[in-house]
Amino acid sequence: MSTGRLRTKKKACSSDQSPDNLPVRSSGRQVKKKAAEAADDDDEASEKKYRKCEKAGCTATCPVCFASAAERCAKNGYTSRWYHLSCGEHFCNECFDHYYRSHKDGYEKYTAWKRIWTSNGKSEPSPKAFMADQQLPYWVQCTKPECGKWRQLTKEIQLTPQIAKTYRCGMKLNNSTKTEGSDQCSMPEDLRVAEVSDHWWYSMLILPPLLKDSVAAPFLAAYYPDCVGMSPSCTSTNRLPGESNLVKLEHLKSVPNVTVAGMNKYFQPFYQPNECGKALCVRPDVMELDELYEFPEYSRDPTMYLALRNLILALWYTNCKEALTPQKCIHHIIVRGLVRIRCVQEMERILYFMTRKGLINTGILSVSPDQYLLPKEYHNKSVIIIGAGAAGLAAARQLHNFGIKVIVLEAKDRIGGRVWDDKTFTGVTVGRGAQIVNGCVNNPMALMCEQLGIKMHKLGEKCDLIQEGGRITDPTIDKRMDFHFNAILDVVSEWRKDKTQHQDVPLGEKIQEIYKAFIQESGIQFSELEEKVLQFHLSNLEYACGSNLSQVSARSWDHNEFFAQFAGDHTLLTVGYSTVIDKLAEGLDIRLNFPVQSIDYSGEEVQVTTTDGTVWTTQKVLVTVPLALLQKNAIQFNPPLSEKKIKAINSLGAGIIEKIALQFPYRFWDSKIQGADFFGHVPPNSSQRGLFSVFYDMDPEGKESILMSVVTGDAVTTIKNLDDQQVLQQCMTVLRELFKEQEVPDPVKFFVTRWSNDPWLQMAYSFVKTGGSGEAYDTIAEDIQGKVFFAGEATNRHFPQTVTGAYLSGVREASKIAAF
């Protein structure tokens, strides 16, 4: 209990000193003890002057306070405690108190920051986070090529991309851009800079870097900024208003279509919270498996990787017409402290990885030899690519841009493969092969159209079904039969859940079985017209599969739907795919009329022999020939392909569809279809299913008079032995039935495709045969000994049957070849 008297104390100098100043009688022994204590006091005084950082492993022997906020800041002197941010960055206890204690001058600034941080961010708004986010000085690199030294800016200077882009040693940044002298670059670099590159330095970093004003911020407004590598204190990273910690369901409805002003609406590189099922998206808050494999050091804390990867992606989609270089990214890395140096170093590694994977710097970019997209260690390879279709050209363009020597051998006298546009029709390009882009969001075709300044025509949903006799089918009948058709497919999905490949049956057989069972159990009788409309929907399915349903697997017919597919609009590429293909091929070494006969990979190098006897020697070869040619052993492999690969090749089907295009003297169909992009033909019976089932208007502007139709399923066999004039007569008979109420003129021009007869193609696109599996696509795609690689739509399990799938398979293999 206190007596009211105050006991006076001397300030303690050592932890083992007596707390009370009581007089004691000294003995000889005590005199010796005092002498020893005096020596301890000298050591303590030394400790006062140079107290070490308490962080285990910190290399700073004499820390210096970077904050200089408190009046009694320790600077490089004594403080009761050093707070560690990195091995080169500390702040003293006095500056800590200045902001953290409520009676100190800096407390209001700290609490204001804390409010913003708490409202936007998810991480703890600690004093250390405040110091890292608000008080650490910025570092900037001299832009003189012969210098490149890092300099610490004064505390009051805010780094901007413009300063980072133009900074020179000695540059005055307070209202002046004059330099203090031309010899400023000769000044030595701070010794702390060299330490930043060492791997242990990052492990001693207390807080991960959070970028300020990242270009990715507009894409990621629905996320907590600090979960995607951005600072919650920046106005540009404010979260969407009215959000609680759990994103509200009502808000999610508006999230998926996040777009940035002035940017192509089809560019949506990041998943939004709780969104799924969109191809070529990344989660901005999670590292993908291949990223973790490449950068395992970020597995525990991925913040720096995510911050830089998200920034790089956003910068690429902001301007995809020019190659994104490390120099262009550096200026946008705005973060305080020495960690900015580490971010700049890591950004280069991450950018090269993303370039190699085809996530950025892809499409129809053309680079000169002094601007190759990957560093010199990637250049010492030679590759021969067999086939100049979408897959081969995609790979060739990527590898060429990486700095790798590439030669493309093409059997035909033209490039493009199954992309072949006819430009002989007046005013309109008509694709003999592909011309429609299915799902444009994140589709590389949309990217390349943006790079070329090409507009894509969005296809409308309206598709009237016209019966022979000219009557338009009641839309309610079409909807009802569409519902029943999809219900049948749902039953197929349920049936296959526990089925093995050995229990597989043809899709057509299974549909018929389910349909009959439904009729018997429900007692429903469909009208004759309804039965015909059902046949139309079946023909549409055969169009999608590229085959009669009797050959298609009921178990695996839609195997790729288990993966995220391209979302958004379906569009007509009115200028034709060849515009993109020609640009991909520009500047590449392509040899036409060079069919490949054999590939010998038994030695150290690969030998490719063409039919004229020429032997080409290379380190690696990429085979992109159509599946039909692999099935017919058009190329001899030595050693032979494995049984596993041969089995996979034969478990897929080489689907065929054919097209007919007709140009008329005038647009006789306009008044009936009223601006629709296409109309359907209800077959009179099942035997004529697939015979001109859909007609496309090839001129969305309505100036030219051109229709294109497809032949699918059994109808392909029907027209195979007919000459073009006979096919034309059959098509005109159908059109005159559909427009019976008026005169249908003879066409002034037409063509009929013969893909099945082309010796170097022999197909349209692949499908899974009965007893097969989607895994076959992956098996065909497997490389052999790191020497022979495979690409093409029949190697793309996620996106088969499309030009996009072929293109992406080429990008995939280019990445693998570059990495070997």
Side-chain angles (χ1 to χ4, degrees):
M1 183 177 287
S2 174
T3 61
R5 290 179 64 187
L6 294 175
R7 178 175 287 164
T8 58
K9 297 181 183 178
K10 285 187 178 178
K11 188 174 181 183
C13 294
S14 177
S15 58
D16 62 353
Q17 284 182 295
S18 169
D20 298 315
N21 191 25
L22 299 177
V24 291
R25 189 169 291 175
S26 298
S27 64
R29 184 179 293 173
Q30 287 171 326
V31 169
K32 288 179 182 176
K33 184 179 178 184
K34 283 193 173 184
E37 286 174 350
D40 288 345
D41 284 349
D42 288 341
D43 289 343
E44 183 64 25
S46 175
E47 186 186 340
K48 277 184 180 182
K49 195 172 182 182
Y50 305 108
R51 181 180 285 277
K52 291 183 179 179
C53 174
E54 294 172 10
K55 171 75 174 171
C58 180
T59 55
T61 51
C62 300
V64 179
C65 181
F66 65 77
S68 301
E71 200 172 314
R72 299 179 63 187
C73 172
K75 297 188 170 36
N76 63 344
Y78 172 81
T79 183
S80 58
R81 180 183 175 186
W82 285 108
Y83 291 87
H84 174 107
L85 290 183
S86 79
C87 285
E89 295 163 322
H90 300 80
F91 60 97
C92 67
N93 196 59
E94 288 69 26
C95 288
F96 171 87
D97 285 349
H98 176 75
Y99 290 112
Y100 193 66
R101 306 300 175 194
S102 58
H103 62 286
K104 297 286 187 177
D105 293 344
Y107 181 71
E108 193 175 318
K109 186 175 182 180
Y110 172 65
T111 52
W113 168 87
K114 193 174 177 180
R115 278 194 299 271
I116 295 170
W117 188 281
T118 307
S119 65
N120 279 338
K122 200 173 185 182
S123 56
E124 187 67 28
S126 65
K128 284 188 176 181
F130 169 75
M131 287 294 196
D133 189 66
Q134 296 291 302
Q135 300 302 307
L136 268 177
Y138 285 105
W139 288 76
V140 65
Q141 192 173 24
C142 179
T143 54
K144 282 187 182 177
E146 65 273 16
C147 178
K149 289 175 183 158
W150 285 92
R151 306 299 186 189
Q152 180 178 295
L153 300 180
T154 54
K155 186 181 168 185
E156 67 275 7
I157 292 175
Q158 298 291 319
L159 182 64
T160 64
Q162 185 58 27
I163 291 174
K165 193 175 183 180
T166 58
Y167 181 80
R168 301 285 181 95
C169 289
M171 182 181 282
K172 285 186 176 180
L173 298 171
N174 294 335
N175 304 320
S176 172
T177 57
K178 292 180 182 177
T179 57
E180 294 175 354
S182 58
D183 63 339
Q184 291 298 307
C185 289
S186 64
M187 297 291 290
E189 190 173 57
D190 192 303
L191 293 175
R192 291 175 291 169
V193 173
E195 288 188 333
V196 175
S197 301
D198 293 331
H199 73 276
W200 56 263
W201 186 91
Y202 187 69
S203 67
M204 295 293 290
L205 194 66
I206 292 297
L207 297 161
L210 297 174
L211 303 187
K212 294 175 178 287
D213 299 317
S214 171
V215 178
F219 292 96
L220 305 176
Y223 286 88
Y224 290 105
D226 41 342
C227 290
V228 291
M230 301 187 300
S231 170
S233 67
C234 294
T235 53
S236 66
T237 52
N238 284 351
R239 300 183 74 222
L240 291 172
E243 284 193 69
S244 61
N245 286 352
L246 292 172
V247 183
K248 293 179 182 176
L249 189 62
E250 298 81 26
H251 167 64
L252 281 178
K253 291 175 184 173
S254 63
V255 167
N257 294 320
V258 170
T259 52
V260 177
M263 188 176 295
N264 190 310
K265 65 178 180 176
Y266 296 136
F267 294 176
Q268 295 173 32
F270 301 106
Y271 272 120
Q272 298 306 312
N274 296 351
E275 184 188 14
C276 61
K278 200 160 66 176
L280 302 194
C281 259
V282 297
R283 280 191 58 183
D285 56 341
V286 174
M287 288 178 73
E288 306 279 334
L289 285 175
D290 56 347
E291 293 175 316
L292 286 165
Y293 180 79
E294 191 87 7
F295 301 94
E297 64 270 31
Y298 290 112
S299 58
R300 290 185 67 184
D301 183 358
T303 308
M304 179 189 276
Y305 181 86
L306 296 174
L308 297 175
R309 178 251 267 158
N310 295 344
L311 171 67
I312 290 167
L313 265 182
L315 282 169
W316 167 243
Y317 281 104
T318 302
N319 180 15
C320 63
K321 294 181 181 180
E322 296 176 6
L324 186 61
T325 62
Q327 291 71 29
K328 290 178 184 177
C329 296
I330 287 168
H331 315 137
H332 296 278
I333 299 174
I334 308 297
V335 63
R336 290 180 181 273
L338 285 164
V339 75
R340 180 168 186 265
I341 301 169
R342 187 60 173 253
C343 284
V344 166
Q345 294 167 349
E346 290 298 286
M347 179 278 304
E348 189 168 69
R349 284 179 66 211
I350 295 168
L351 182 134
Y352 288 145
F353 166 74
M354 295 173 71
T355 296
R356 177 167 60 80
K357 297 293 282 188
L359 297 170
I360 62 167
N361 288 336
T362 188
I364 51 86
L365 283 184
S366 184
V367 301
S368 57
D370 59 335
Q371 294 176 319
Y372 286 137
L373 301 176
L374 292 182
K376 287 182 180 178
E377 56 263 33
Y378 287 94
H379 299 176
N380 58 347
K381 296 186 182 76
S382 63
V383 184
I384 285 180
I385 295 175
I386 301 170
L393 293 176
R397 170 55 54 200
Q398 292 286 102
L399 292 168
H400 173 81
N401 287 355
F402 292 168
I404 295 170
K405 185 183 178 184
V406 185
I407 295 175
V408 182
L409 302 179
E410 168 56 50
K412 296 174 71 65
D413 59 359
R414 63 172 180 84
I415 64 169
R418 284 164 277 180
V419 168
W420 186 20
D421 290 335
D422 191 309
K423 299 188 177 183
T424 62
F425 287 76
T426 308
V428 173
T429 298
V430 182
R432 289 174 173 264
Q435 194 166 3
I436 292 172
V437 183
N438 294 304
C440 288
V441 172
N442 297 334
N443 196 309
M445 293 304 150
L447 173 83
M448 288 187 275
C449 285
E450 175 70 16
Q451 290 172 325
L452 289 168
I454 295 170
K455 288 187 177 179
M456 308 167 85
H457 171 68
K458 178 184 174 181
L459 292 170
E461 293 183 8
K462 184 184 178 188
C463 179
D464 288 332
L465 301 188
I466 307 176
Q467 303 160 39
E468 297 202 350
R471 188 173 180 179
I472 294 177
T473 304
D474 185 339
T476 57
I477 293 176
D478 183 17
K479 284 180 183 175
R480 186 187 314 146
M481 297 317 295
D482 186 43
F483 171 81
H484 283 297
F485 173 67
N486 283 301
I488 290 170
L489 294 180
D490 288 342
V491 176
V492 174
S493 295
E494 281 297 314
W495 165 83
R496 69 183 175 196
K497 279 182 179 176
D498 60 346
K499 298 295 182 292
T500 65
Q501 280 178 250
H502 298 298
Q503 295 170 300
D504 197 7
V505 296
L507 179 59
E509 184 183 303
K510 179 52 66 175
I511 286 173
Q512 197 62 29
E513 179 190 313
I514 293 167
Y515 177 68
K516 284 181 179 176
F518 170 73
I519 296 292
Q520 288 173 357
E521 291 171 21
S522 67
I524 292 176
Q525 280 297 100
F526 290 122
S527 68
E528 186 182 343
L529 176 58
E530 287 171 332
E531 291 277 6
K532 291 177 182 178
V533 171
L534 182 61
Q535 291 298 316
F536 168 81
H537 288 293
L538 287 168
S539 74
N540 226 17
L541 184 58
E542 290 180 326
Y543 182 15
C545 293
S547 169
N548 181 294
L549 299 181
S550 63
Q551 297 181 50
V552 179
S553 165
R555 182 176 170 270
S556 301
W557 72 273
D558 61 346
H559 64 98
N560 59 309
E561 294 295 329
F562 294 102
F563 307 102
Q565 296 296 296
F566 291 106
D569 301 336
H570 298 309
T571 58
L572 179 70
L573 205 50
T574 49
V575 297
Y577 268 112
S578 60
T579 305
V580 174
I581 292 292
D582 291 345
K583 198 68 181 177
L584 273 177
E586 207 170 87
L588 298 177
D589 185 354
I590 301 171
R591 315 290 177 94
L592 299 178
N593 299 306
F594 272 99
V596 170
Q597 182 174 291
S598 66
I599 298 171
D600 187 332
Y601 59 98
S602 58
E604 258 190 51
E605 292 191 303
V606 184
Q607 291 194 326
V608 177
T609 305
T610 48
T611 52
D612 66 347
T614 307
V615 179
W616 311 70
T617 302
T618 184
Q619 290 172 311
K620 301 179 189 303
V621 64
L622 172 60
V623 180
T624 73
V625 301
L627 175 71
L629 297 191
L630 291 177
Q631 290 176 336
K632 293 179 180 178
N633 301 314
I635 297 175
Q636 300 298 311
F637 291 87
N638 182 37
L641 298 179
S642 67
E643 266 189 55
K644 180 185 175 187
K645 192 178 278 282
I646 290 171
K647 185 178 177 183
I649 288 168
N650 291 319
S651 71
L652 298 182
I656 299 171
I657 65 165
E658 301 291 1
K659 286 185 169 186
I660 182 170
L662 314 96
Q663 184 160 26
F664 294 96
Y666 58 87
R667 298 171 60 86
F668 63 85
W669 59 89
D670 267 353
S671 59
K672 194 162 192 170
I673 68 166
Q674 298 179 341
D677 289 306
F678 39 80
F679 56 90
H681 160 216
V682 178
N685 52 61
S686 60
S687 65
Q688 292 191 53
R689 184 174 87 200
L691 196 59
F692 320 116
S693 55
V694 180
F695 286 87
Y696 294 84
D697 184 342
M698 298 307 293
D699 184 14
E701 293 184 8
K703 294 177 182 175
E704 305 300 333
S705 312
I706 299 166
L707 290 177
M708 185 273 290
S709 190
V710 291
V711 180
T712 62
D714 281 343
V716 171
T717 310
T718 304
I719 69 159
K720 190 169 185 179
N721 297 320
L722 301 179
D723 63 31
D724 288 0
Q725 202 64 40
Q726 289 171 313
V727 175
L728 170 66
Q729 290 308 316
Q730 286 207 8
C731 186
M732 290 306 300
T733 300
V734 168
L735 279 172
R736 284 174 173 138
E737 275 294 325
L738 300 186
F739 295 87
K740 202 159 190 175
E741 69 285 354
Q742 65 187 83
E743 184 181 340
V744 174
D746 287 331
V748 294
K749 183 177 178 57
F750 80 100
F751 71 66
V752 177
T753 63
R754 301 289 182 176
W755 292 103
S756 60
N757 295 340
D758 188 312
W760 303 115
L761 295 168
Q762 301 183 28
M763 64 178 294
Y765 42 76
S766 62
F767 64 93
V768 180
K769 290 198 291 194
T770 306
S773 161
E775 291 173 14
Y777 286 89
D778 290 339
T779 303
I780 299 171
E782 290 173 1
D783 65 90
I784 306 173
Q785 300 175 12
K787 296 177 183 176
V788 183
F789 298 79
F790 295 84
E793 60 86 21
T795 72
N796 194 325
R797 187 177 184 179
H798 291 224
F799 314 111
Q801 306 175 321
T802 61
V803 179
T804 294
Y807 172 85
L808 286 171
S809 73
V811 171
R812 177 197 72 214
E813 295 308 303
S815 174
K816 284 165 63 177
I817 290 168
F820 259 99

